Amino acid sequence: MVEHVAGVHRLTIAGVIAGVVAALAISVSNIALPFMYANGGDVQSFLTGRYAASGLIALIMALAVRLFVRHRSPPGGDAIVPAATGTSARDHTLAVIAGALYGGGALLALGSIARIPVTLAILILFTFPIITALMQATLDRRWPRPLEAGLLLVALAGVALALDVEADALDPIGLVMACGGPLCVATSFVLCERRLGNIGALSSATLMSLGGLLVAAGFAAITGSFSLPDPGAGQRGLLIAVTGSTIAFLAMFWGVRAIGASPTAMILNLEPVFTIALAIIVLAEVPSAQRIMGATLVIGAVIASQMYASVRTNHCDRHTA
């Protein structure tokens, strides 16, 4: 029992680290994207590159792990690697659907930026941790836990302050697109946690990347829009953006498998904070007191939520023991 509890704690710590890495990697991608856009690149080329790279890397890693396990299977397994218990065609289809939902959410969120203020679009996207928590509570047939709900709202308020949101000149279609983004992302998170447990983490990442790639490439084919950036700064920006978002995609959904959809979604609220910090370092931007206050609220809410989750886990472990 003690070894099992220690393994769970190791998995939890690794999951939290994965969420933080994902938030930081998304921030790196955010900083690089303007260079790509300014030199002729578009959303379709970025998203296609992201899912193609994510799927290829996940597939290579999955094959490498399979070869390693075949030649040297450690006794008892490793608690850090969630194990698969048997898969079916239905499981694989659900993984592709989860990836397609995430890809569709990204397309809707990025597309809404053309119609409504970018800060408002990003703020609406970051309602996905709240939507995720509400979905989880509904599926568990319970009310959302008050402290968790409160911390989510504090984090969202911090994101709003950090982004300095302006809500003027709103376009109804843009608002609908923006609201569809977090709904798709939250559904993808919940589906990944609840229905993909029979698939290995790397295998599910490969299939989810395929789903996202189908959405991005399909949209590019239907609209006839796919533009690679010019050589130089544009292609460097695309490479950095794709690299960052690929790391984020793999780490994000590994975190969902390790600690759950809601905790991972909460940690991802750090992304605007990291983006502001990188803008200071890379772009020499000077943040306002409001943005600093917002970043402080987000960090405080994320830390408090992880402390609360740790207390609840320890309480459950004591009762189990």
Side-chain angles (χ1 to χ4, degrees):
M1 178 62 70
V2 173
E3 291 180 358
H4 170 73
V5 171
V8 171
H9 287 169
R10 288 168 60 204
L11 185 60
T12 300
I13 293 171
V16 171
I17 293 173
V20 174
V21 168
L24 180 58
I26 294 173
S27 302
V28 172
S29 180
N30 291 343
I31 294 297
L33 279 173
F35 295 98
M36 185 201 75
Y37 292 144
N39 289 275
D42 63 7
V43 171
Q44 288 81 341
S45 62
F46 163 63
L47 290 180
T48 301
R50 168 208 273 179
Y51 296 121
S54 299
L56 181 60
I57 291 173
L59 178 60
I60 292 172
M61 292 175 66
L63 293 174
V65 169
R66 181 171 297 183
L67 287 174
F68 175 80
V69 171
R70 181 177 298 174
H71 289 87
R72 181 183 176 185
S73 181
D78 187 347
I80 291 297
V81 181
T85 59
T87 62
S88 66
R90 184 169 180 269
D91 295 325
H92 297 161
T93 301
L94 287 174
V96 174
I97 291 173
L101 284 167
Y102 186 84
L107 266 178
L108 287 170
L110 292 172
S112 69
I113 292 174
R115 294 178 172 271
I116 63 176
V118 61
T119 49
L120 179 60
I122 295 175
L123 175 63
I124 293 175
L125 175 62
F126 274 90
T127 61
F128 84 89
I130 295 176
I131 298 173
T132 300
L134 291 175
M135 284 183 175
Q136 297 279 50
T138 301
L139 291 172
D140 291 337
R141 298 181 180 180
R142 61 172 174 82
W143 289 101
R145 297 182 181 93
L147 183 57
E148 287 179 325
L151 290 172
L152 284 168
L153 291 174
V154 169
L156 184 62
V159 170
L161 288 173
L163 294 173
D164 192 13
V165 174
E166 297 178 359
D168 52 77
L170 298 183
D171 177 83
I173 296 178
L175 280 177
V176 171
M177 293 173 65
C179 292
L183 182 61
C184 289
V185 171
T187 305
S188 177
F189 270 50
V190 173
L191 185 59
C192 178
E193 177 187 343
R194 291 179 174 258
R195 303 306 297 271
L196 303 185
N198 290 336
I199 308 178
L202 292 171
S203 298
S204 65
T206 303
L207 293 168
M208 290 180 68
S209 297
L210 174 61
L213 180 60
L214 289 174
V215 169
F219 181 80
I222 291 172
T223 59
S225 55
F226 185 92
S227 177
L228 290 172
D230 298 330
Q235 292 189 0
R236 285 195 297 272
L238 176 61
L239 178 61
I240 294 171
V242 167
T243 301
S245 61
T246 296
I247 293 171
F249 184 85
L250 297 175
M252 181 190 313
F253 284 103
W254 195 92
V256 170
R257 299 289 295 272
I259 61 176
S262 293
T264 303
M266 182 65 170
I267 294 172
L268 290 176
N269 278 302
L270 291 172
E271 181 261 307
V273 177
F274 288 149
T275 300
I276 292 172
L278 288 175
I280 296 172
I281 298 171
V282 177
L283 305 177
E285 292 186 1
V286 180
S288 64
Q290 176 180 321
R291 290 194 167 190
I292 294 175
M293 183 183 301
T296 303
L297 282 176
V298 172
I299 294 171
V302 170
I303 291 174
S305 71
Q306 294 308 308
M307 291 176 64
Y308 173 66
S310 177
V311 169
R312 289 191 72 253
T313 300
N314 291 334
H315 177 73
C316 293
D317 288 343
R318 285 197 298 269
H319 280 274
T320 302

